[in-house]
Amino acid sequence: MSWSDALRVAWSGMWGSKLRSLLTMLGVIIGVAAVIVLVAIGNGASQAVSSRIETLGSNLLFVTPGGGTTFTASQVAAIQHELPMTALVVPELNSGGKVSSGTTVGPAALTGTTPQYPALGGISIAYGSFLTAQNLTALQHVAVLGANQALTLFNGSNPVGEHITILGQTFRVIGVLNPVGQGPGASQDNTIFIPLPVAEFLVGSDSLSNIVVKTSSPTAASLADSLLTNLYTNQYGANAVTVASEDQVLSALSATHATFTDLLAGTAAISLLVGGIGIMNIMLVSVTERTREIGIRRALGATREDIVLQFLLESMTISLTGGLIGIALGFGLMRLSPLILKSPAVFSPDSVVLAFVFSTAVGLGFGLYPAIKASRLDPIDALRYSG
Amino acid sequence: MIRIKNLIKDYPMGRETFRALHGVSFHIAQGRLAAIIGQSGSGKTTLLNILGGLDTPTAGEYWLDGKLVSQFDQVDWSHERNHTIGFVFQSFNLVPALSARDNVAMPLIYRRAPLKTRRRLAEEALRQVGLGDRLHHRPTQLSGGQQQRVAIARALVGNPPLILADEPTGNLDSHTGEEIIELLRHLNRQGHTVVIVTHSPEVASQCQEIFRMQDGRLVASEATG
Ligand SMILES: Nc1ncnc2c1ncn2[C@@H]1O[C@H](COP(=O)(O)OP(=O)(O)OP(=O)(O)O)[C@@H](O)[C@H]1O
Ligand SMILES: [Mg+2]
């Protein structure tokens, strides 16, 4: 039997029972689509992280107290004193609470900080201005809104000069940030920035969440890293204060994303495997149903190899067709994903190759046993079979 | 065409074996029309299956068309069945999902004949058995006699020298049966060697050679013409 004839026979075998073939394919379709979409989502997330590493460089250090130590605003000056290189030292006091614009109420992340905060990079002002030194010294109740906060509280209109209520106190809006978009900075879109001393009052604590240090270069950052690590180890003991550069933070995040992607791909692979078992099941049924046909073909001159080829090609046709439909479906879902996920799915050609290879292998692997079983049938028994 | 010597067939039956053929020998010359008759269970089908290479003898020798085929493996036999033998079964054995034409063309697939050639030859064969207007009918859309004609067309499409028919009229009424026998005789006149297993004395009397089986032995053979 020639390959093209074997393909034709396989195709008509599949076409002969459309609904059953489609149901059989469903496992492969879902598996392949899942591989493509989930890998793309995982990729999107880690790419957002790595692009941020590239744009920001690794000039940032995060100093986070832990293990019983607390930092107050005075620590900012201490750090500045310790570092010989020109460095920007910005404290953050993070909290959260209910915010209301009079018409809309919602949750907000609060960050009490200083006017230097925008100089760390990553954010820019859309309307108005950021916090000023005078806001801090005069303990003024003013707020700068992240893009999403401005959108939800004021429905997109310019809120500068309007008043909002945070944790029961009234604040005047003095500025709005541009959207940061995807990536780890996205949380800033939901944040409201207020003067650090005001935040201390509002929260009832002067204990900082962390201090961000920005140096002029990556070399300066690693020098500052070791200086600060030494300082705090002497002062509080090892590991009481964490000093991490931004790329350490981001690569930890990136590693998490990679694990996440692997996990998603693994889940998808399992569903492909389940699809393969479905194919095997149906092929076994098909071999039994067509026992007589197999006997007839053998009587008319088909060799065992011809029979293997016929059934193997049939299972591969099913799984490959399922694979192609799955790839198309995966692409479709990927295009829809920004509507649901807010983080873009980044298509990976590898995943299509993976899906394709996997679905071929599934058809081959799970079709082999039924095909061999078919070829081992005794022609006389097969001809006598009444199903 | 066919020469068998001391063919023995044992079927395993649990721990025992059942001997269905006790050393059968005969010779059928090229171009002959032969009948194998005998009571039910006498071993006719067993013998014919061995002649067609669907079953292998336990012992004995079988020459087909000058070749010692009793030594053949499954690949050689598949080739032999495809090129040398055409089968006609009592229960027609058509593939229900395929049209009459595709059923008839099936042996040619395993000869790697191109699709167009297969279709042309299948249509010719169907016309020869009087079904030129039923090319696209499924087996279920045909009468029993018509199905057996399709099966005969399938047996002759590859122009094999030998046609083996196991009770080809067993499932048909006597009138339709006669038409089928007439078709087989027609093929014989065209030069095919034809071997028919039958219960009908009438059918046997139309054949040039008659072999009578009893309890797995050849008990009588007569040749006329
Ligand atoms: N696969 C088998 N296993 C065991 N015994 C078998 C097998 N096939 C046939 N036999 C036995 O061999 C004997 C001959 O069977 P066979 O089918 O050749 O008879 P037959 O002459 O064709 O009968 P009928 O006219 O009824 O078709 C029978 O007794 C049968 O029971
Ligand atoms: Mg019989």
Side-chain angles (χ1 to χ4, degrees):
Chain A
M1 179 146 74
S2 70
W3 278 87
S4 62
D5 285 327
L7 259 176
R8 196 174 291 120
V9 171
W11 183 260
S12 65
M14 189 182 82
W15 205 243
S17 41
K18 287 185 242 345
L19 180 63
R20 188 162 89 181
S21 303
L22 189 72
L23 289 175
T24 311
M25 271 177 218
L26 217 53
V28 177
I29 294 176
I30 293 171
V32 165
V35 166
I36 289 177
V37 173
L38 295 180
V39 167
I41 289 172
N43 259 353
S46 43
Q47 208 167 80
V49 172
S50 48
S51 74
R52 213 171 126 81
I53 294 177
E54 276 158 26
T55 52
L56 285 184
S58 49
N59 299 358
L60 296 186
L61 284 181
F62 294 85
V63 184
T64 314
T69 46
T70 48
F71 279 179
T72 61
S74 62
Q75 193 68 37
V76 174
I79 292 176
Q80 217 135 27
H81 176 75
E82 192 63 29
L83 299 179
M85 64 288 285
T86 45
L88 190 65
V89 183
V90 181
E92 278 184 43
L93 198 165
N94 297 325
S95 180
K98 205 165 73 175
V99 59
S100 143
S101 65
T103 51
T104 318
V105 184
L110 291 177
T111 295
T113 187
T114 58
Q116 284 79 33
Y117 187 91
L120 294 175
I123 61 165
S124 58
I125 296 287
Y127 306 115
S129 61
F130 200 73
L131 304 170
T132 62
Q134 210 223 323
N135 292 150
L136 267 72
T137 49
L139 294 179
Q140 285 170 344
H141 279 48
V142 292
V144 176
L145 305 183
N148 278 348
Q149 287 296 348
L151 202 65
T152 45
L153 290 173
F154 293 99
N155 212 1
S157 64
N158 185 349
V160 172
E162 302 288 335
H163 287 84
I164 57 174
T165 314
I166 305 173
L167 293 171
Q169 300 200 20
T170 306
F171 285 75
R172 186 166 50 85
V173 177
I174 58 164
V176 176
L177 300 183
N178 281 316
V180 176
Q182 4 93 6
S187 62
Q188 286 164 323
D189 286 344
N190 290 316
T191 303
I192 295 177
F193 298 88
I194 56 177
L196 179 62
V198 178
E200 288 171 354
F201 275 114
L202 204 63
V203 176
S205 157
D206 61 356
S207 169
L208 298 177
S209 307
N210 57 33
I211 297 175
V212 188
V213 177
K214 186 181 185 181
T215 56
S216 52
S217 69
T219 342
S222 64
L223 183 58
D225 190 344
S226 47
L227 282 172
L228 290 176
T229 305
N230 275 339
L231 171 72
Y232 289 120
T233 309
N234 292 338
Q235 212 166 327
Y236 302 107
N239 299 327
V241 176
T242 324
V243 183
S245 62
E246 178 164 50
D247 59 352
Q248 281 169 333
V249 172
L250 289 181
S251 58
L253 204 61
S254 184
T256 315
H257 280 303
T259 317
F260 181 62
T261 308
D262 288 350
L263 217 66
L264 292 179
T267 312
I270 288 171
S271 74
L272 255 180
L273 213 66
V274 173
I277 294 169
I279 289 183
M280 177 131 123
N281 189 18
I282 284 300
M283 288 313 293
L284 284 173
V285 171
S286 172
V287 167
T288 308
E289 276 181 359
R290 287 153 73 187
T291 297
R292 201 151 180 156
E293 177 188 329
I294 294 164
I296 294 169
R297 288 182 184 275
R298 290 299 307 279
L300 299 182
T303 60
R304 286 200 173 135
E305 291 71 28
D306 288 330
I307 301 295
V308 170
L309 189 66
Q310 176 187 334
F311 281 92
L312 208 53
L313 278 182
E314 188 165 325
S315 66
M316 286 180 67
T317 311
I318 290 178
S319 73
L320 267 180
T321 310
L324 290 178
I325 297 176
I327 287 171
L329 185 70
F331 266 107
L333 288 176
M334 217 170 64
R335 296 217 141 183
L336 288 179
S337 69
L339 303 181
I340 309 153
L341 286 169
K342 284 187 179 155
S343 101
V346 175
F347 163 72
S348 137
D350 289 358
S351 68
V352 171
V353 175
L354 184 82
F356 203 73
V357 168
F358 218 124
S359 55
T360 312
V362 159
L364 199 70
F366 288 93
L368 198 59
Y369 173 67
I372 287 178
K373 199 176 164 200
S375 78
R376 297 257 165 245
L377 286 171
D378 181 51
I380 297 181
D381 292 342
L383 280 169
R384 219 180 269 144
Y385 180 85
S386 49
Chain B
M1 185 78 217
I2 291 175
R3 180 183 296 280
I4 54 174
K5 212 171 140 190
N6 266 322
L7 271 195
I8 292 174
K9 180 65 190 179
D10 289 338
Y11 287 115
M13 297 284 289
R15 242 183 271 162
E16 312 271 295
T17 59
F18 175 81
R19 182 153 292 187
L21 294 179
H22 294 263
V24 179
S25 310
F26 64 56
H27 169 240
I28 299 172
Q30 168 104 42
R32 301 289 278 177
L33 176 60
I36 300 176
I37 59 171
Q39 286 173 345
S40 186
S42 57
K44 304 183 296 295
T45 295
T46 305
L47 180 58
L48 202 76
N49 283 341
I50 291 174
L51 294 183
L54 294 172
D55 208 348
T56 47
T58 310
E61 288 172 350
Y62 174 15
W63 283 270
L64 174 63
D65 220 6
K67 289 159 285 192
L68 183 61
V69 293
S70 39
Q71 310 291 335
F72 273 14
D73 65 8
Q74 66 95 9
V75 176
D76 291 337
W77 257 123
S78 296
H79 183 267
E80 206 61 27
R81 282 197 295 272
N82 189 241
H83 285 79
T84 313
I85 302 169
F87 286 96
V88 180
F89 302 95
Q90 178 175 355
S91 51
F92 320 137
N93 275 331
L94 301 173
V95 177
L98 299 180
S99 68
R101 185 181 65 181
D102 288 349
N103 264 292
V104 171
M106 195 178 277
L108 303 175
I109 289 181
Y110 301 104
R111 275 186 201 186
R112 295 164 173 267
L115 184 64
K116 271 191 185 158
T117 315
R118 295 203 303 259
R119 293 207 164 137
R120 183 171 52 75
L121 290 174
E123 283 165 23
E124 257 170 43
L126 277 166
R127 266 198 295 279
Q128 229 178 308
V129 300
L131 289 176
D133 54 348
R134 296 285 196 283
L135 301 179
H136 303 291
H137 284 57
R138 295 282 164 92
T140 49
Q141 298 164 332
L142 296 169
S143 73
Q146 287 170 334
Q147 288 185 52
Q148 196 61 302
R149 282 160 188 269
V150 173
I152 290 174
R154 183 178 65 187
L156 67 86
V157 72
N159 199 28
L162 175 64
I163 289 178
L164 301 177
D166 192 356
E167 300 188 41
T169 62
N171 281 349
L172 304 172
D173 65 53
S174 58
H175 173 70
T176 318
E178 266 165 44
E179 286 177 0
I180 293 299
I181 294 299
E182 188 42 53
L183 250 174
L184 289 172
R185 291 182 64 184
H186 174 71
L187 290 179
N188 175 245
R189 282 195 293 276
Q190 288 184 333
H192 298 274
T193 308
V194 178
V195 180
I196 305 173
V197 166
T198 181
H199 278 287
S200 152
E202 206 146 314
V203 171
S205 68
Q206 299 179 56
C207 295
Q208 300 155 347
E209 299 192 35
I210 303 175
F211 299 96
R212 180 181 296 279
M213 298 287 296
Q214 193 178 322
D215 296 331
R217 290 186 174 83
L218 184 63
V219 293
S221 60
E222 49 186 276
T224 56

